[in-house]
């Protein structure tokens, strides 16, 4: 199976401001008991989005203006704390396809890349400008260009960075290591059949 090449993500955005947003805030620990990642989206930011009775707290993800946003904006050190894979999975299952933040925790960044979520870093000032554009017009189109390492919104373009290895994996469709292994299975079996010590 060929993996899709992720060169750019185009969609509407939502800003979830703050620095050091950790994986426990992204997906509370009680959701880690799940057998599969299906349904994790409903737990995204649950404890800061919901009251004990399940009613909504004031939160950007509860604002109907931003419903259906696919680009998540945030601050510095996004995804810090526990290395749980459930955090990127919850973001993906909620419907986000890209994250733009000042910086990312190392393991979180790798876990996102491995499921095809590009994480691009931009300056605080540029993120504030994108957030202001979204606030002024929630329907504004945001283009996260992984290949060009830039973000376009309205009539503006700002620079954004992504690690070279992650960029290469995403734009060339090599972001899922397990998928790559499975894709190479027929060739591995063919080679193994030719090896005399494998014939026994």
């Amino acid at each position: 199976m060929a993996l899709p090449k992720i060169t750019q993500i185009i969609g509407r955005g939502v800003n979830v401001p703050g620095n050091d947003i950790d994986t426990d805030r992204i997906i509370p620990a009680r959701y880690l008991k799940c057998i599969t990642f299906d349904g994790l989206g409903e737990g995204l930011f649950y404890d800061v989005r919901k009251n004990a009775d399940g009613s909504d707290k004031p939160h950007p993800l509860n604002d109907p203006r931003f419903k259906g946003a696919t680009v998540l904006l945030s601050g510095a050190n996004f995804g810090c704390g526990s290395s749980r894979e459930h955090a990127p999975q919850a973001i993906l299952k909620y419907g986000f396809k890209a994250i733009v933040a000042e910086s990312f925790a190392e393991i979180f960044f790798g876990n996102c890349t491995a499921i095809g979520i590009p994480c691009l870093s931009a300056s605080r000032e540029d993120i504030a400008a994108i957030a202001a554009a979204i606030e002024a017009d929630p329907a504004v189109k945001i283009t996260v260009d992984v290949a060009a390492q830039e973000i376009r919104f309205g009539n503006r373009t700002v620079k954004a960075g992504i690690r070279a290895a992650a960029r290469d994996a995403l734009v060339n469709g090599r972001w899922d290591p397990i998928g790559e292994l499975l894709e190479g299975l027929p060739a591995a079996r063919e080679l193994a059949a030719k090896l005399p010590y494998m014939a026994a």
Side-chain angles (χ1 to χ4, degrees), residues 2 137 175:
D137 177 11
W175 45 268

Side-chain angles (χ1 to χ4, degrees), residues 51-67:
N51 294 304
D53 63 1
S55 59
D56 287 349
K57 295 178 180 179
H59 190 277
L61 297 191
N62 293 333
D63 190 327
R65 295 179 301 157
F66 307 121
K67 186 173 176 60

Side-chain angles (χ1 to χ4, degrees), residues 114-186:
I115 59 173
I117 302 176
C119 295
L120 276 75
S121 299
S123 72
R124 181 175 303 179
E125 294 74 20
D126 287 340
I127 291 172
I130 300 167
I134 293 168
E135 184 64 31
D137 177 11
V140 67
K141 183 172 71 174
I142 312 292
T143 300
V144 178
D145 196 321
V146 181
Q149 298 190 81
E150 62 185 28
I151 300 159
R152 299 185 290 277
F153 58 103
N155 59 359
R156 289 196 58 183
T157 299
V158 298
K159 286 293 179 188
I162 183 169
R163 293 170 201 165
R167 177 182 173 276
D168 177 73
L170 290 163
V171 301
N172 291 298
R174 295 195 301 265
W175 45 268
D176 180 354
I178 294 174
E180 277 202 278
L181 283 172
L182 291 174
E183 195 173 54
L185 190 57

Side-chain angles (χ1 to χ4, degrees), residues 25-39:
R25 197 177 339 167
I26 294 169
I27 186 74
R30 62 186 175 278
Y31 286 94
L32 274 61
K33 296 182 289 186
C34 61
I35 304 300
T36 72
F37 295 128
D38 296 335

Side-chain angles (χ1 to χ4, degrees), residues 38-135:
D38 296 335
L40 270 185
E42 65 191 47
L44 183 65
F45 290 113
Y46 192 90
D47 289 346
V48 291
R49 286 177 52 217
K50 301 287 185 179
N51 294 304
D53 63 1
S55 59
D56 287 349
K57 295 178 180 179
H59 190 277
L61 297 191
N62 293 333
D63 190 327
R65 295 179 301 157
F66 307 121
K67 186 173 176 60
T70 55
V71 178
L72 177 65
L73 301 179
S74 198
N77 199 28
F78 189 80
C80 59
S82 163
S83 61
R84 63 188 67 163
E85 298 171 74
H86 298 67
Q89 286 285 352
I91 290 169
L92 180 67
K93 300 300 186 199
Y94 190 85
F96 289 109
K97 300 183 184 308
I99 308 171
V100 178
E102 287 183 58
S103 60
F104 296 90
E106 184 79 26
I107 295 174
F108 176 85
F109 178 94
N111 286 340
C112 282
T113 303
I115 59 173
I117 302 176
C119 295
L120 276 75
S121 299
S123 72
R124 181 175 303 179
E125 294 74 20
D126 287 340
I127 291 172
I130 300 167
I134 293 168
E135 184 64 31

Side-chain angles (χ1 to χ4, degrees), residues 8-32:
Q8 61 180 23
I9 301 295
I10 302 172
R12 293 185 295 109
V14 61
N15 182 36
V16 178
N19 297 328
D20 304 314
I21 293 179
D22 62 30
T23 53
D24 192 54
R25 197 177 339 167
I26 294 169
I27 186 74
R30 62 186 175 278
Y31 286 94
L32 274 61

